[in-house]
Amino acid sequence: MKFALFTPHAYERAEEDWTPGWDPSWAGWPGPPRLFDPERALRSHTRMLELCQLADETGFDWITLAEHHYSEHMMMPSPMLLAAELSQRLRRARLAVLGVAIPLANPVRVAEEYALLDLMTGGRLAMAGFLRGTPNEYLTYGTDVAHSREVYEEGIELVVAAWTTPVAFGWEGRHYQNRLISIWPRPVQQPHPPVLVSGNSPDSADFAARHRFSIGLAFLPPQAAAASAAYFRDAAAAAGWAAAPENIVYRTFAYVAATDEQAQRDCAEHGFGALSTLGGGLAAQAPGASRYAAALADVGRRYNGAAPAGAAAAAPAGAAAAAPGGAGAPAGGAPPGGAPPGGAAGGVMPGGRIRPPLCGSPETVLGQVRQLRDSIGAGVLDLILYNDALPHELARESVRLFGTEVIPQARDL
Amino acid sequence: MPDVEQAPDGPFRVYRAGVAGREIEFLEAGVGDPLLVLGGSGGPALSLLAARRRVIVLDLAAAGLGGATARDRAAAACAVADSLELGPCDLLAAAAGAEAALWRAADAPGRVRSLVLESPPGPGPELAAVLPGIRAPALVLCGTRDGAGPTGPGVTCQRLLPGAYLSFVYDAGHDIRGDRPGAFAAVVSDFLTRQGRFLARDEAEGAP
C-alpha cells in the first residue's frame, strides 16, 4: 500500500478565529481578504513545507495537492506553483497533483504545465489529476457551471491529446476550439503520467473506466467509498481492463497520537477530522457573509443538473457542498456521522464529537488502515493529517507517528 | 445548366451533365468559389457550406464512374470538373474518397486549390510515396471517437503531406459531418476561405 500526505496549505488559525456553534447552512466561503495577515501567511507556508519535508523523511510515498480558490483553508489557487517548489525539496516522496480544476483552466496550458512538472520531477510525477471542482469554484472566475461535466470531460481528453499527438494538431470541440496545439516540453513519462479523475459519482467513474484513468475517492464515508470502488472496478471490467488497487486513491482524515485516548481527545478538542468543521474560521467574522448564499445555492443546484431556482426547495449549497477542500466531491457529499465507534468511520459522531476515520495510537490506526484496505481496495491512502483546525505541534507529531510507526507496518498490505 | 430536380433535403438540387459520352447526376447548391465534394449527398453540413460557396456533390460510384482504382476515380472526377468548367477548385472527400482526392492533387496539381480530407484511411505505399510531393494546402479531419490518436491515419497524413493541417473533431465518429455538422462546416469554411491563415484567430473575418 502507498501513503500520501495531502497538503491543504491552510492559513494558520488563531484561537480567536475559531467560532464554535457555526451555522451549518452557511458555507464559509469566500475567505475575507482584509483579514489576511502577511506574517501569518508566511508562517503557514513555512510550516506546510516543514510537514511535507517531515513526510518525505519518514517514508510517505506521495505529497498531494489540489486546486482551490478564495479560501484560507486551502491557499492553493495554483497547485502547479506549489508543486514546483516542492519538486525542488523532496528527496524520496513523489508529487501527485489531485488535481487541477479543468473547467476553470485552459486545457492546453494544463497539458504544458503538467509536462513541465513531469520534467522538473525527473519523470516522477505520481499522478496528474483533474477535478470538476466544487460548485463554489464556479464563482471564482465567473465560469458557468452549466455543462461543467461535459467541459470537464472534453478538457481532459484535450490534455491527453496534447500530450500524446506526435504532430501539431487542432481541436474542434464542443467547448474548446484551438487550431494549433504542439506542446513543448512533452511529458518525460511516455505516453503520459498516470491520470486521476474523481470517482465519487457513477458518471465520473464511468468516464474514468472508459479512458483507463485512476480514480480518487474524496471524503466519502468508508462504506460509500467501498461501493464507489466496486462500481469503478465493474465499469473498468466492462470497458475491458482490470482496475488494480493502485488505480484507486482514497482521501480521508487521519490522526495519530501516542494513545487512543489522547488522539480522540485532541480531535474532539480541536474539531479535527471532518470537512464540515471548516465552515467556521475567518470568514465567520465577516459581517454580511451570507450575501454569498444565494449564488452558492445557485451553482450548487445547477452543478448537479437540478431543476431551476424555485423548483428545488431543498438542497441549498450547504457547508459541505461548497466547502473548500471537497476536492472533486459532489455537492452535498458531507460525510454523515453515526458510524460504529472503533471502526474506520469517523466524521461527526453522535453528540457532535468529531473523529477522523483513522484515529488513535499507531497500532489502532494500523488496524483501521487494514480495515479500509479490505473494504475499499484502495492502493493509495491520501491522508489529511492536518488542517487549520489542528495546532502545528500536534500535526507534526501525527505526521511523524504515521510515517515512522504506521507506514512501515502497512507497506506490504 | 442541364435538367433540374428538387433534391430531397436542403438547398441542393439534382443536375445532370454529359461526361465522356454518358450522362451523370450530381447535386449542386450555392454560389461562389466551387467546392467539389467526392461522395455522399447533401445534408446539414454541406448545406451550411453551400450558404457560403458553390458546392457540387458528386457520387462517382452512383454516376457509374467508380473505376477500378482510386487513381481511376480521380481521373473521372477530373473529367467531371472539366465538363463543368470548374477550373482550379477545392476538393472535399471522405474516407476512401480521400484517396481519389489525393491522387487528383498529385496528378493534376494545377486543378486542386486545396484539399479537405474527412476521416481519411491510412495511405497505401504507392500513395504514401507521392504525398510529400503534393503542395496544395490540406485540412485533415479526424473524429476523436474514430481515427484520432497518436498512431491514427490523420497523423500519418499530417506527416506525409507538407501542406496538411490536422484537426481533431471532438465527439465525432467516422461520419464527422453527420456527427458534428456545425463544427465541420465552420472549420472547413474557415479553412477554404482563409487557407493557412485559418490558424490565426480573426473575429472580423468570422473565424472561431
Side-chain angles (χ1 to χ4, degrees):
Chain A
M1 243 189 141
K2 286 190 166 64
F3 296 90
L5 179 73
F6 181 72
T7 305
H9 202 224
Y11 182 72
E12 184 181 291
R13 177 183 287 184
E15 277 310 305
E16 63 271 23
D17 298 333
W18 177 242
T19 313
W22 55 278
D23 175 2
S25 70
W26 174 70
W29 186 93
R34 67 182 173 79
L35 296 178
F36 179 84
D37 170 22
E39 289 303 321
R40 265 166 77 183
L42 284 166
R43 195 163 58 236
S44 304
H45 185 65
T46 303
R47 289 179 164 182
M48 179 277 287
L49 293 174
E50 188 190 319
L51 291 175
C52 288
Q53 260 170 299
L54 180 62
D56 186 31
E57 287 159 11
T58 56
F60 280 78
D61 299 279
W62 300 354
I63 306 293
T64 67
L65 309 161
E67 177 175 335
H68 287 287
H69 297 270
Y70 295 1
S71 171
E72 80 271 23
H73 305 301
M74 299 275 299
M75 299 191 292
M76 195 73 73
S78 168
M80 299 297 193
L81 276 179
L82 276 177
E85 181 180 34
L86 289 169
S87 74
Q88 305 308 302
R89 289 171 180 260
L90 302 178
R91 303 205 173 266
R92 292 191 356 222
R94 298 171 69 176
L95 279 164
V97 180
L98 307 179
V100 170
I102 197 83
L104 274 55
N106 177 331
V108 179
R109 173 66 171 240
V110 172
E112 291 176 319
E113 290 189 347
Y114 266 137
L116 185 56
L117 187 58
D118 198 37
L119 185 64
M120 291 173 72
T121 57
R124 296 178 74 239
L125 181 62
M127 279 285 174
F130 299 94
L131 302 173
R132 190 176 157 210
T134 44
N136 59 301
E137 312 286 7
Y138 288 83
L139 301 178
T140 306
Y141 303 138
T143 309
D144 193 354
V145 73
H147 313 298
S148 59
R149 174 165 297 285
E150 279 179 26
V151 175
Y152 161 82
E153 293 187 358
E154 183 184 329
I156 296 167
E157 289 195 47
L158 173 50
V159 170
V160 173
W163 282 336
T164 57
T165 306
V167 297
F169 69 100
W171 185 269
E172 300 297 328
R174 292 192 187 277
H175 301 282
Y176 298 104
Q177 288 85 35
N178 195 324
R179 293 275 162 87
L180 185 61
I181 301 167
S182 188
I183 69 164
W184 276 81
R186 298 165 65 73
V188 170
Q189 297 179 76
Q190 287 286 318
H192 57 74
V195 169
L196 179 138
V197 298
S198 170
N200 278 10
S201 74
D203 279 352
S204 53
D206 284 336
F207 173 73
R210 245 185 353 262
H211 294 276
R212 305 197 174 203
F213 296 150
S214 294
I215 58 163
L217 300 169
F219 305 110
L220 292 177
Q223 228 177 352
S228 293
Y231 181 93
F232 171 61
R233 278 189 289 266
D234 288 348
W241 65 291
E246 57 263 32
N247 294 121
I248 301 173
V249 177
Y250 179 53
R251 177 181 301 158
T252 192
F253 285 89
Y255 186 78
V256 192
T259 66
D260 290 352
E261 296 70 30
Q262 183 66 47
Q264 289 178 23
R265 202 162 47 238
D266 288 347
C267 290
E269 182 181 338
H270 298 286
F272 178 75
L275 201 57
S276 54
T277 60
L278 289 177
L282 282 187
Q285 302 175 9
S290 63
R291 74 188 74 176
Y292 307 112
L296 287 166
D298 182 73
V299 290
R301 189 172 49 242
R302 292 195 294 129
Y303 186 93
N304 290 321
V348 183
M349 310 308 290
R353 199 163 54 85
I354 304 298
R355 193 167 63 75
L358 302 176
C359 178
S361 67
E363 193 185 354
T364 298
V365 168
L366 181 60
Q368 292 163 344
V369 166
R370 278 208 183 89
Q371 218 177 332
L372 285 185
R373 172 69 182 79
D374 293 344
S375 63
I376 301 174
V380 185
L381 282 186
D382 187 18
L383 301 168
I384 304 172
L385 279 153
Y386 65 102
N387 62 17
D388 43 348
L390 203 61
H392 182 62
E393 299 68 34
L394 297 183
R396 194 165 47 202
E397 184 60 3
S398 178
V399 169
R400 191 188 69 77
L401 284 173
F402 201 101
T404 56
E405 301 200 18
V406 179
I407 290 180
Q409 311 296 318
R411 174 75 62 216
D412 297 328
L413 285 180
Chain B
M1 205 44 82
D3 302 344
V4 176
E5 282 173 20
Q6 184 64 48
D9 58 355
F12 285 94
R13 285 160 180 264
V14 179
Y15 295 85
R16 292 192 184 86
V19 177
R22 75 162 79 199
E23 186 174 74
I24 62 142
E25 241 178 36
F26 59 95
L27 301 174
E28 184 173 331
V31 292
D33 293 335
L35 170 66
L36 180 58
V37 180
L38 296 185
S41 56
L46 296 185
S47 298
L48 287 166
L49 282 173
R52 303 179 200 176
R53 58 176 54 239
R54 180 181 173 201
V55 179
I56 299 116
V57 185
L58 178 65
D59 187 330
L60 288 169
L65 298 172
T69 68
R71 206 165 190 172
D72 295 339
R73 292 192 291 278
C78 250
V80 174
D82 286 348
S83 80
L84 297 178
E85 299 176 347
L86 295 184
C89 70
D90 299 309
L91 207 49
L92 187 162
E99 291 184 314
L102 285 164
W103 274 117
R104 179 163 150 79
D107 291 341
R111 288 182 167 130
V112 177
R113 182 173 159 269
S114 64
L115 290 163
V116 177
L117 307 174
E118 175 189 3
S119 307
E126 197 190 352
L127 181 57
V130 304
L131 294 189
I134 295 176
R135 296 288 165 222
L139 175 63
V140 180
L141 297 173
C142 294
T144 56
R145 291 195 272 107
D146 183 49
T151 57
V155 168
T156 307
C157 287
Q158 198 274 5
R159 293 177 77 144
L160 292 175
L161 277 170
Y165 305 93
L166 171 64
S167 205
F168 294 144
V169 182
Y170 178 69
D171 205 19
H174 200 63
D175 177 18
I176 299 173
R177 73 180 87 158
D179 291 339
R180 298 276 320 276
F184 178 90
V187 67
V188 169
S189 173
D190 202 25
F191 170 72
L192 294 178
T193 305
R194 302 172 66 219
Q195 301 282 288
R197 288 187 300 118
F198 91 118
L199 299 182
R201 190 184 179 97
D202 186 341
E203 285 161 9
E205 275 197 279

